[in-house]
Amino acid sequence: MHPESKAPQSGPPHHHERSLDGSQTTQGSGHPTERPSGHPGNLPIGHPHGHPGAPKTLDDGSPLCRLIAWEVTRSCNLACKHCRAEAHMEPYPGEFSTEEAKALIDTFPEVGDPIIIFTGGEPLLRKDIFELVRYADAKGLRCVMAPNGTLVTAETARLMKDSGIQRASISLDGPDAASHDAFRGVEGAFDAAMRGIEHLKSVDLPFQINTTVTRNNLGQFKEIFHLAEKLGAVAWHIFLLVPTGRGANLGREVITGEEYEEVLNWFYDFRKTTKMQLKATCAPHYLRILRQRAKEEGIPVTMDNFGLDAVSRGCLGGTGFCFISHTGQVQPCGYLELDCGQVRNTPFPEIWKKSKQFLEFRDQKSYQGKCGVCEYHKVCAGCRARAMTMNGHYLAEEPLCTYQPQKLRKAD
């Protein structure tokens, strides 16, 4: 029996056997500060797997880079519970100059036709942000932005639209000021985000709502969704908390593997009740659960039935997505501070093609534990940041997965 289509309740999960679409993509406001500022599932824009007939790989056989989350600054005006950065309004040491940033943008087309997520920190705190967006847009790159919403004014909304931003993501981790502000660490953050959303709507800039899943807001999911729907969001993305930075100290708010299964099963059922694009991010198991449930229901896993979830992979770190920090460190995502190369020392395309860690992420034989033998590896791969934080190695098995692969069941 599966969870019914109702919002999960906070507290221990009930017992069950298994307790960023339209034509858009992206995973991740993915940064360590605002949301996963460097994460792939955050801002859907364009098809992540290209159009029919488009090349599937780069000339050397490396996978195309579909999404780049670029932490253009770590400065931020909030101090969110799950974030690695403190509230800090001034630029951090080591941030790129305008000229350095443009030179980096020049290299992005060499790894494919990636969507560029301008994130932070709070990207609107970077003084030349719109100059950089215009520069990337002029090169034909699709640009999206992950602000926290509190600094979006009528003027900045217009500048975002005019410079080339195609979608913005705004985080709401509760349906009201009390719950959202407690998570974001600043009183008034909810009301400011609401004003920011109205400014985005006034210039017809599409926006999505992102929600970090914790035990405290499990019981408020339907309320958060209905708020997103009422506001006119084009998508709702839920983010399964990755316990890094201050998130590692959230203790009881981090849900268990069993609760994780329940939430994702609920999400599978809930998506049938709305036409809004829904996406589970930092939740690679969802694509395994989707296939298990679809098989039980006799539903083919096609784009007609499941949109981009039918052709996407759970963890895209190093395989279709990467994060670039404010100092130029290339990482699999914003939650996994793994040095895969420094763009000030090595050209970004070379890092994407030849990074030791990225080559490991592209080879299932490199993975440890059950992730290395799981039949769902190609659509899931587990969360590499959780593996690092909770199991001690970025290639260790996903610590919050309760699924037992067929090969291990046969061995038993």
Side-chain angles (χ1 to χ4, degrees):
M1 202 169 141
H2 301 297
E4 299 174 9
S5 293
K6 60 184 181 182
Q9 301 300 307
S10 55
H14 302 297
H15 175 71
H16 300 285
E17 287 183 7
R18 292 197 309 249
S19 261
L20 286 20
D21 277 356
S23 63
Q24 334 229 157
T25 57
T26 304
Q27 260 188 38
S29 139
H31 83 148
T33 40
E34 164 30 22
R35 168 105 4 281
S37 107
H39 179 279
N42 210 19
L43 294 153
I45 296 270
H47 194 302
H49 290 263
H51 302 287
K56 303 297 184 185
T57 63
L58 299 174
D59 290 344
D60 71 338
S62 300
L64 297 173
C65 184
R66 313 289 182 178
L67 302 160
I68 298 171
W70 183 16
E71 183 187 53
V72 291
T73 180
R74 188 178 280 197
S75 301
C76 192
N77 60 320
L78 299 183
C80 307
K81 284 187 176 182
H82 63 310
C83 176
R84 73 183 181 190
E86 303 289 342
H88 186 286
M89 299 291 283
E90 298 303 318
Y92 278 74
E95 291 187 5
F96 278 31
S97 67
T98 302
E99 292 69 28
E100 286 179 308
K102 287 182 176 180
L104 178 58
I105 292 171
D106 287 339
T107 69
F108 290 160
E110 296 179 38
V111 296
D113 181 25
I115 297 164
I116 311 303
I117 309 169
F118 288 85
T119 185
E122 170 51 61
L124 291 176
L125 285 176
R126 182 162 173 131
K127 290 181 171 58
D128 62 355
I129 185 63
F130 299 115
E131 182 178 352
L132 299 183
V133 174
R134 283 191 292 270
Y135 190 78
D137 180 68
K139 290 188 169 295
L141 295 166
R142 289 163 289 176
C143 301
V144 297
M145 186 179 285
N148 59 44
T150 64
L151 301 183
V152 178
T153 64
E155 181 184 8
T156 54
R158 171 56 61 189
L159 287 169
M160 288 169 68
K161 180 75 177 282
D162 291 347
S163 64
I165 293 297
Q166 296 184 34
R167 185 187 286 196
S169 69
I170 305 294
S171 295
L172 293 178
D173 297 303
D176 51 38
S179 55
H180 178 79
D181 290 0
F183 193 80
R184 292 281 146 181
V186 174
E187 186 175 350
F190 181 83
D191 291 340
M194 291 297 103
R195 289 192 295 272
I197 287 171
E198 291 305 314
H199 290 310
L200 294 175
K201 291 164 67 173
S202 73
V203 298
D204 295 320
L205 181 57
F207 67 94
Q208 68 183 57
I209 298 299
N210 295 339
T211 300
T212 295
V213 181
T214 67
R215 185 167 290 121
N216 281 349
N217 66 8
L218 283 178
Q220 299 176 309
F221 265 27
K222 271 198 171 179
E223 292 176 72
I224 297 171
F225 167 76
H226 289 309
L227 175 58
E229 194 173 43
K230 179 181 176 182
L231 290 170
V234 294
W236 182 43
H237 288 200
I238 64 168
F239 285 77
L240 276 293
L241 183 69
V242 179
T244 60
R246 281 198 294 280
N249 300 318
L250 288 179
R252 62 172 296 279
E253 292 185 29
V254 180
I255 63 175
T256 65
E258 290 72 25
E259 287 170 319
Y260 199 139
E261 286 285 303
E262 183 168 1
V263 168
L264 296 181
N265 272 290
W266 170 81
F267 196 71
Y268 176 89
D269 289 321
F270 188 69
R271 51 169 285 283
K272 302 172 187 175
T273 69
T274 177
K275 292 183 179 179
M276 185 188 292
Q277 185 239 343
L278 304 183
K279 187 170 184 60
T281 298
C282 296
H285 326 351
Y286 178 68
L287 297 180
R288 180 253 303 164
I289 288 171
L290 180 153
R291 283 161 175 76
Q292 290 175 309
R293 295 292 303 277
K295 183 178 180 181
E296 291 173 3
E297 296 170 5
I299 301 172
V301 179
T302 63
M303 286 190 67
D304 287 342
N305 293 329
F306 294 100
L308 291 177
D309 282 340
V311 294
S312 295
R313 170 183 163 107
C315 179
L316 289 170
T319 64
F321 167 85
C322 71
F323 173 85
I324 303 176
S325 80
H326 66 292
T327 62
Q329 176 168 292
V330 180
Q331 303 172 193
C333 75
Y335 285 132
L336 180 51
E337 292 191 53
L338 182 67
D339 185 356
C340 300
Q342 302 282 340
V343 298
R344 281 184 164 123
N345 301 329
T346 306
F348 171 68
E350 185 176 337
I351 294 172
W352 176 256
K353 295 173 184 178
K354 299 180 181 179
S355 160
K356 169 185 175 291
Q357 295 91 338
F358 285 1
L359 293 176
E360 290 174 328
F361 288 141
R362 298 166 191 169
D363 179 9
Q364 185 176 357
K365 297 185 182 69
S366 299
Y367 289 71
Q368 302 168 11
K370 61 186 180 182
C371 288
V373 298
C374 185
E375 65 273 20
Y376 289 105
H377 179 89
K378 291 191 186 310
V379 297
C380 173
C383 174
R384 298 299 98 213
R386 272 193 293 267
M388 182 73 174
T389 302
M390 301 173 73
N391 279 347
H393 196 282
Y394 59 88
L395 292 171
E397 66 181 43
E398 157 73 63
L400 294 185
C401 178
T402 62
Y403 180 70
Q404 189 75 345
Q406 288 181 4
K407 284 188 178 180
L408 297 183
R409 291 204 299 271
K410 289 176 183 177
D412 292 341

